[in-house]
Amino acid sequence: MNKEELKEKYGKKRVPHEWCGTDKFTALVTTFFGSGMSPKAPGTMGSLAATIVAYPMALLASSLFGDSIELSLGRFCCVNLYFLMAALIVFFGAIPFVNKAMRDTGTEDPGWIVIDEVCGIFMALTFFPTDIIVAHPWFLVIAFGLFRFFDILKPLGIHKMEKLPGAWGVMADDLLGGVYAGILLWLSAIGIYALAF
């Protein structure tokens, strides 16, 4: 994304309380329980809220399912089915709410819709074992930082996903950003493990 596109997307003035144009439940879902209502950096606030929620989710998954929720693809590689399911449920479940919110408010991908950031954070954690998240929660900070990098700059085809129609474009770019962030998170964990041992 070039400077002009960044300025157009993030530099525009927000209409205060724009989300009031839709019903309360839709606003609650699309702003992820109000985190997107932040007057400054709503995308960052939504990502932060999702990162905070991810820790108790990992604790719950670890206590209920243990390692059975991970699909092993080798010694250092797994797919965390719990966070994959969470990301996909948020992705497909949010589509009608995002479409309704944009239609009701006459907007196109407004900053206060942050449910897409939630999907992206959960997708980033899909490539990471739950027990490591529980034992080393600071990896969540790395996941947050990597995801925000991809969400803001939108490299490697992420920007093209925004061109999909309606809510699909709003959600898909963050899903792909989460995939890229997850791969880098996984690679960083391997690097840290190799240095430690």
Side-chain angles (χ1 to χ4, degrees):
M1 190 175 267
N2 62 37
K3 280 185 180 180
E4 289 77 27
E5 290 171 324
L6 281 170
K7 187 174 181 182
E8 182 183 334
K9 181 161 176 82
Y10 297 105
K12 60 186 174 189
K13 292 185 178 180
R14 291 182 184 83
V15 178
H17 312 299
E18 196 175 55
W19 57 84
C20 291
T22 191
D23 65 272
K24 287 181 182 177
F25 188 69
T26 300
L28 194 68
V29 171
T30 56
T31 64
F32 194 55
F33 304 102
S35 59
M37 295 177 182
S38 169
K40 300 222 178 197
T44 300
M45 292 298 113
S47 301
L48 182 61
T51 304
I52 291 167
V53 167
Y55 187 71
M57 284 175 65
L59 280 172
L60 179 66
S62 184
S63 65
L64 290 178
F65 307 111
D67 291 342
S68 65
I69 57 165
E70 293 162 7
L71 178 64
S72 179
L73 302 174
R75 184 171 179 198
F76 295 109
C77 186
C78 78
V79 174
N80 188 320
L81 299 175
Y82 183 74
F83 278 106
L84 177 62
M85 282 192 318
L88 294 178
I89 287 168
V90 170
F91 181 86
F92 290 107
I95 294 288
F97 291 102
V98 172
N99 273 329
K100 184 178 188 316
M102 291 193 300
R103 187 173 59 248
D104 290 350
T105 59
T107 57
E108 189 176 324
D109 197 4
W112 50 268
I113 292 181
V114 297
I115 193 67
D116 50 334
E117 274 83 5
V118 176
C119 175
I121 289 288
F122 291 169
M123 182 54 75
L125 297 173
T126 294
F127 302 91
F128 218 62
T130 311
D131 60 337
I132 294 181
I133 295 171
V134 170
H136 306 287
W138 51 270
F139 270 113
L140 290 169
V141 177
I142 299 172
F144 170 81
L146 289 171
F147 173 72
R148 288 307 292 155
F149 168 80
F150 285 108
D151 189 32
I152 292 169
L153 295 182
K154 304 191 185 301
L156 305 170
I158 297 173
H159 181 57
K160 290 180 182 174
M161 300 300 278
E162 285 187 313
K163 299 187 188 328
L164 291 172
W168 295 101
V170 173
M171 299 297 295
D173 69 317
D174 290 272
L175 188 71
L176 184 56
V179 170
Y180 289 147
I183 291 169
L184 278 184
L185 182 67
W186 170 68
L187 290 172
S188 68
I190 289 175
I192 290 167
Y193 182 83
L195 288 173
F197 298 98

